[in-house]
Amino acid sequence: MIKVYLAGIASLYEGEDIEIQYSIYDDLELISKKSISMDYVKPAIVGQVAMRTVLSKLKKYMSKEVVVVVNDTALYESIRGTLKTKNIDVLKMAKETRKKIAGFENFTIENVSGNHVKTENWVQALKDCKRT
């Protein structure tokens, strides 16, 4: 099983870079742990950009069970299709992200924002990501 811990961090000011952090584990063995700076995108779609970035890193694991752990309710609901937004950018990105996810045989997204213990594990998994 592939387990991915993912965070998309928006900048506070328009025009500044965003940061994407992820850790990828294959049966508890660390495969990759990175922090990537990317050009500015609207804060509403930072989570979607982060998810699409990590999906491109997971292409070779499409036949395995993949679990992506996030601490982002808006991202979780937009991928599930239950987000009640009318923001066209968010809706477009969510549709494109769902298409990419459909290529995986067994894909699950887990939102840990309501569970203190799981949130602490998520924080520890993303701690000390190497900047690229």
Side-chain angles (χ1 to χ4, degrees):
M1 174 176 79
I2 303 297
K3 193 161 197 172
V4 181
Y5 295 89
L6 175 66
I9 304 165
S11 64
L12 296 175
Y13 303 102
E14 189 169 337
E16 290 189 2
D17 291 348
I18 65 168
E19 184 177 358
I20 297 169
Q21 296 178 345
Y22 64 87
S23 298
I24 303 173
Y25 294 87
D26 187 358
D27 295 326
L28 303 176
E29 180 184 333
L30 181 64
I31 296 173
S32 179
K33 189 173 197 173
K34 290 189 180 174
S35 175
I36 302 170
S37 290
M38 297 181 79
D39 289 337
Y40 174 82
V41 295
K42 294 179 183 177
I45 61 171
V46 169
Q48 298 287 345
V49 171
M51 179 63 76
R52 292 179 68 183
T53 300
V54 86
L55 287 174
S56 68
K57 307 288 183 195
L58 296 173
K59 284 183 180 177
K60 60 184 169 188
Y61 303 108
M62 291 182 102
S63 62
K64 285 189 149 190
E65 179 182 0
V66 177
V67 177
V68 177
V69 181
V70 297
N71 187 9
D72 186 345
T73 304
L75 172 63
Y76 177 72
E77 288 185 358
S78 66
I79 290 175
R80 289 185 55 218
T82 59
L83 189 64
K84 303 280 188 218
T85 187
K86 293 183 181 178
N87 184 324
I88 195 72
D89 294 330
V90 173
L91 296 173
K92 266 191 217 177
M93 285 289 284
K95 184 177 179 180
E96 292 171 12
T97 304
R98 282 192 295 273
K99 283 181 186 175
K100 289 186 179 284
I101 290 171
F104 288 84
E105 287 184 23
N106 190 354
F107 186 92
T108 307
I109 183 168
E110 179 183 350
N111 182 27
V112 297
S113 63
N115 185 319
H116 178 69
V117 174
K118 288 184 177 183
T119 301
E120 192 61 36
N121 291 340
W122 175 82
V123 168
Q124 290 302 317
L126 292 173
K127 197 173 194 177
D128 301 326
C129 285
K130 292 181 179 144
R131 213 168 248 271
T132 59

